[in-house]
Amino acid sequence: MGNPNVGKSTVFNEITGSHQHTGNWTGKTVDIASGKYYYKYNDYELIDLPGTYSLVTMSEEERIARDFLLKEKYDCVVMVVDSTSLLRNLNLVYQVLEITNKIVLLLNLSDEAKKKNIVIDREILSNLLGIPVVKATARSGKGINELLEEVHLICTSCEDYYTKKDVDFDDISTEFLLEKAEFVCEKAVTSAPSRKEEIEKKVDKILLGKYTSIPIMLLLFGIVLWITIAGSNYPSDFLRGVFDSFELWLAESLDKIGVPQTIISLAVNGVLRVLLWVVAVMLPPMAIFFPLFAILEDIGILPRFAFNLDRPFEKCGACGKQALTTCMGFGCNAVGVTGCRIIDSPRERLVAVITNSLTPCNGRFPLLIAVISMFFCENSFGAALILLCFIVASILVTFACSKVLTSTVLKGVNSSMMIELPSFRMPRFLKLIGDTVREKIVFVLLRAVAVAAPAGLIIWALANIKVGGTSLLCSIADALNPIGHFIGLDGVMLLAFILGFPANEIVIPVALMAYLSTGEMSDYSSLESLKSILTDNGWTAVTALCTCIFSMFHFPCSTTLITIWKETKSVKWTLLSILTPLTAGTALCALINLIFE
């Protein structure tokens, strides 16, 4: 066990290799990993407890770690600490020593400590703590064999493995433990500021500065958005071309073997087209945005973003870590929702989950960029600034909705935020790409594809089934016109947003299908042709503005909604996750329409 971000999981993976599995500890919601290894004719099982800073405060992770230490049977505790931050880590070590002294202290990240001119005298530290100490660099495997030997010696030294001390954590003085930790560090640690540390301090003065932090955050985020938007156009166009050719080939092949045209149209122009459209539009932006986001996180910039935004989120009754989950939502709201697991407080975690859909994901960017370029600014630089203004607006609405939630259905006392401000380091590109593809891109894409196929069937049916010479799609759009006009849209766009529930990427193609009264989804050849179609159907600048606002603030897509249900296991919170952005978007659009009508 150990603090977050000390390399605990790296140690676990290095020892257990592929002999590991993850599951819920009985009655708990946080996963615990376990694995097996063999050493000196003995079989061992290694449990990886959740990272925690303390056993005294009561987040879910801390409850699990504390209950495990107090109630479960184990032979030895491996305490993994960061050699560059020994003082902070010793607080938890002393708390565990209150329960058991069968501990091996692993000084991980020894290479980083050496770079920072930090020298830890292992013998002095071991004598002062009364436990064996091992220096290691887990990611290179250094020190792991020595660790296994020390664990082996403790586990075979006596038969009474499971003896624990009686301890009441309410009686533990954290101030006294801190004094002990400071004394130990004074005796065992010598350090001199390195050039790297001096540079990091100067960079942090800028990144965390009162007047510089927010502009730099916006600048960096703007660069990430620009790279994502500019870089995704070409692969998206390529995929569309490949998929169009595949659709044509498949339709011709089915026709040759005598498949009826209705079935071909349903299967190819309906189900398959929507599915492939979602892949073509979603995959390239995700493949660019998520790795860039992961690089910022690995460098150490994102934790500083959370630190900067902690104060405004705290004023809204939320948590600064919500800043991280909000940033994740710009890539995909489903990923942002799963990212809310990093928030310890269940109440604040729910606030982050419910409001994450207020963040425009990359699936909404194509519509936003197209509408901005057609109706507000053709210049790419100006369009990028307007898009950034919309994004800032989404953050302000997130603050407002968080405040409303924490003042009504989610009242409670704010938790304190303890967040790691890690040292800056070069990102591990290969690992980042592998983790991003496996944990984010594939995860989101599979969920989107699962709902895109049946949605394609429904959209095709609505467009091709006619009553009185008019398709159901157009009939429903006409029926929705009064509601659409009330919020500055029309029935077609409102229906397009509803049918875009499987994936926001198909909103424009569905709208075109209704405007042009075609029986299948089709793309626009240019922004000029699209603008001509929209203005011919009554669009104005007010319609364009309301469309952008409603695109940012409406119900979550199906992938996000499924994720919210899986994370909360609650119909109540899932419904509130729909109503919160929908209410905000409807109110703002109605107000704008009322002012400019």
Side-chain angles (χ1 to χ4, degrees), residues 344-510:
D344 297 331
S345 164
R347 181 185 69 88
E348 292 167 353
R349 191 183 309 131
L350 277 173
V351 174
V353 167
I354 293 168
T355 59
N356 197 270
S357 295
L358 294 166
T359 303
C361 64
N362 66 45
R364 295 180 241 182
F365 286 153
L367 185 150
L368 290 170
I369 294 166
V371 174
I372 289 171
S373 300
M374 287 185 294
F375 288 90
F376 301 119
C377 185
E378 295 182 3
N379 179 272
S380 59
F381 180 75
L385 286 179
I386 294 174
L387 177 60
L388 192 59
C389 290
F390 277 126
I391 289 171
V392 172
S394 75
I395 295 173
L396 295 176
V397 173
T398 299
F399 287 151
C401 290
S402 297
K403 182 63 176 178
V404 171
L405 288 170
T406 55
S407 301
T408 54
V409 294
L410 286 169
K411 289 182 179 179
V413 179
N414 281 19
S415 64
S416 59
M417 184 185 77
M418 184 176 289
I419 187 168
E420 197 88 26
L421 288 182
S423 299
F424 295 107
R425 64 180 181 185
M426 284 296 294
R428 297 158 291 179
F429 292 103
L430 292 179
K431 183 178 185 301
L432 285 177
I433 292 172
D435 290 346
T436 301
V437 170
R438 182 179 64 256
E439 297 173 6
K440 292 186 176 69
I441 296 175
V442 173
F443 163 79
V444 175
L445 204 57
L446 288 178
R447 286 196 177 179
V449 166
V451 294
L457 175 62
I458 294 171
I459 293 170
W460 181 91
L462 291 175
N464 287 275
I465 296 176
K466 298 185 177 181
V467 178
T470 304
S471 69
L472 290 177
L473 188 72
C474 293
S475 297
I476 297 172
D478 289 339
L480 291 174
N481 262 327
I483 302 174
H485 289 150
F486 174 71
I487 59 175
L489 306 177
D490 58 21
V492 168
M493 283 308 300
L494 190 55
L495 180 58
F497 279 114
I498 294 171
L499 294 178
F501 170 67
N504 290 291
E505 291 82 356
I506 64 175
V507 169
I508 289 183
V510 171

Side-chain angles (χ1 to χ4, degrees), residues 529-579:
S529 64
L530 177 59
K531 184 177 182 180
S532 177
I533 294 170
L534 296 178
T535 53
D536 288 345
N537 284 274
W539 272 53
T540 64
V542 175
T543 312
L545 179 58
C546 290
T547 298
C548 289
I549 296 295
F550 200 75
S551 175
M552 291 197 300
F553 310 125
H554 67 285
F555 45 82
C557 71
S558 57
T559 305
T560 303
L561 206 59
I562 292 171
T563 307
I564 292 171
W565 163 252
K566 287 180 176 291
E567 292 296 313
T568 64
K569 297 294 191 297
S570 167
V571 174
K572 173 184 175 181
W573 301 126
T574 303
L575 288 175
L576 194 57
S577 299
I578 297 172
L579 292 174

Side-chain angles (χ1 to χ4, degrees), residues 272-287:
L272 184 63
R273 180 164 296 177
V274 171
L275 189 152
L276 295 180
W277 197 296
V278 169
V279 173
V281 178
M282 282 186 71
L283 183 57
M286 286 195 302

Side-chain angles (χ1 to χ4, degrees), residues 53-58 66 69-70 90-100 165-180:
Y53 291 101
S54 172
L55 301 179
V56 177
T57 52
M58 296 299 285
R66 176 169 161 172
L69 290 174
L70 289 172
L90 282 179
N91 178 55
L92 181 62
V93 174
Y94 271 116
Q95 291 178 28
V96 177
L97 279 169
E98 293 291 323
I99 301 173
T100 177
K165 306 173 189 176
D166 293 327
V167 56
D168 185 352
F169 278 93
D170 293 332
D171 294 335
I172 292 179
S173 169
T174 54
E175 291 80 7
F176 176 63
L177 295 184
L178 179 59
E179 289 177 4
K180 292 170 67 175

Side-chain angles (χ1 to χ4, degrees), residues 158-442:
C158 65
E159 296 181 0
D160 188 15
Y161 301 140
Y162 309 123
T163 300
K164 305 186 187 85
K165 306 173 189 176
D166 293 327
V167 56
D168 185 352
F169 278 93
D170 293 332
D171 294 335
I172 292 179
S173 169
T174 54
E175 291 80 7
F176 176 63
L177 295 184
L178 179 59
E179 289 177 4
K180 292 170 67 175
E182 289 174 343
F183 174 79
V184 168
C185 287
E186 184 181 339
K187 298 295 183 182
V189 181
T190 57
S191 63
S194 64
R195 178 172 175 77
K196 180 183 177 184
E197 285 181 299
E198 295 295 335
I199 294 174
E200 285 185 1
K201 287 180 181 179
K202 291 178 181 178
V203 173
D204 269 339
K205 282 185 178 180
I206 300 173
L207 289 178
L208 305 177
K210 182 178 180 180
Y211 302 106
T212 56
S213 58
I214 300 300
I216 288 177
M217 285 170 54
L218 292 175
L219 176 62
L220 286 175
F221 191 71
I223 292 173
V224 169
L225 285 178
W226 176 76
I227 294 174
T228 302
I229 294 167
S232 61
N233 288 334
Y234 300 106
S236 284
D237 291 341
F238 172 76
L239 287 175
R240 286 182 188 176
V242 171
F243 291 157
D244 286 346
S245 299
F246 175 70
E247 286 179 24
L248 182 62
W249 172 82
L250 182 60
E252 291 175 349
S253 300
L254 292 174
D255 184 55
K256 287 180 182 178
I257 62 176
V259 176
Q261 283 299 317
T262 302
I263 301 299
I264 295 175
S265 178
L266 185 154
V268 178
N269 299 334
V271 175
L272 184 63
R273 180 164 296 177
V274 171
L275 189 152
L276 295 180
W277 197 296
V278 169
V279 173
V281 178
M282 282 186 71
L283 183 57
M286 286 195 302
I288 296 172
F289 181 88
F290 285 141
L292 289 176
F293 185 88
I295 287 171
L296 289 179
E297 184 178 15
D298 210 42
I299 289 173
I301 291 177
L302 285 186
R304 287 160 172 85
F305 281 9
F307 179 85
N308 290 332
L309 291 175
D310 178 51
R311 188 171 182 81
F313 271 111
E314 184 182 12
K315 288 184 177 180
C316 299
C319 171
K321 287 183 180 179
Q322 189 174 333
L324 292 178
T325 64
T326 299
C327 288
M328 293 177 189
F330 285 110
C332 174
N333 294 131
V335 173
V337 169
T338 57
C340 294
R341 296 173 186 174
I342 67 175
I343 299 174
D344 297 331
S345 164
R347 181 185 69 88
E348 292 167 353
R349 191 183 309 131
L350 277 173
V351 174
V353 167
I354 293 168
T355 59
N356 197 270
S357 295
L358 294 166
T359 303
C361 64
N362 66 45
R364 295 180 241 182
F365 286 153
L367 185 150
L368 290 170
I369 294 166
V371 174
I372 289 171
S373 300
M374 287 185 294
F375 288 90
F376 301 119
C377 185
E378 295 182 3
N379 179 272
S380 59
F381 180 75
L385 286 179
I386 294 174
L387 177 60
L388 192 59
C389 290
F390 277 126
I391 289 171
V392 172
S394 75
I395 295 173
L396 295 176
V397 173
T398 299
F399 287 151
C401 290
S402 297
K403 182 63 176 178
V404 171
L405 288 170
T406 55
S407 301
T408 54
V409 294
L410 286 169
K411 289 182 179 179
V413 179
N414 281 19
S415 64
S416 59
M417 184 185 77
M418 184 176 289
I419 187 168
E420 197 88 26
L421 288 182
S423 299
F424 295 107
R425 64 180 181 185
M426 284 296 294
R428 297 158 291 179
F429 292 103
L430 292 179
K431 183 178 185 301
L432 285 177
I433 292 172
D435 290 346
T436 301
V437 170
R438 182 179 64 256
E439 297 173 6
K440 292 186 176 69
I441 296 175
V442 173

